[in-house]
Amino acid sequence: MLGRATRDLPELSKQQDDTETGIWSIVCFYVPRALRGGGLASALLDAAIDHAFSKGAHTIEAYPVDEAAPSYRFMGFRDMFTTRGFHETGTAGTRRHVMRLGR
């Protein structure tokens, strides 16, 4: 799910600043169990990044977890985001990382 601007969605982290504009959020991935492990989530992330920037986003924010996390795995894994240049700006709760990619 890719959201246009954080104010379109419920608050995702305590650091959220609804006065910022041009921020798109990637909040979850759905990959059927039979297709997991084949790179589909990475392909979805690449497509989401391309789409958001082509539509005017200046920052993309995401909330992934570490691979060992027992929950919130549908939000993606931290390494998938760091590989694409996202940097951590904080945490949301005890498991989710708040990560951003800007252009």
Side-chain angles (χ1 to χ4, degrees):
M1 179 178 182
L2 184 66
R4 286 184 63 192
T6 53
R7 68 179 171 274
D8 291 346
L9 302 167
E11 185 175 281
L12 296 167
S13 74
K14 294 197 184 310
Q15 299 97 335
Q16 185 170 320
D17 179 355
D18 288 336
T19 64
E20 292 181 287
T21 60
I23 299 174
W24 286 39
S25 295
I26 298 174
V27 296
C28 66
F29 296 90
Y30 176 75
V31 177
R33 185 175 304 273
L35 299 175
R36 293 179 190 162
L40 184 55
S42 293
L44 290 170
L45 178 56
D46 291 338
I49 291 168
D50 290 345
H51 178 74
F53 285 135
S54 75
K55 296 297 183 183
H58 67 74
T59 301
I60 301 172
E61 190 169 87
Y63 315 92
V65 297
D66 293 315
E67 202 161 333
S71 59
Y72 297 109
R73 297 169 68 88
F74 58 89
M75 296 182 117
F77 296 125
R78 185 179 181 278
D79 290 347
M80 185 171 71
F81 290 87
T82 57
T83 299
R84 285 156 178 82
F86 281 77
H87 65 279
E88 188 162 341
T89 62
T91 59
T94 59
R95 296 187 179 119
R96 291 179 289 142
H97 301 272
V98 178
M99 302 188 78
R100 285 189 168 191
L101 177 67
R103 284 247 166 118

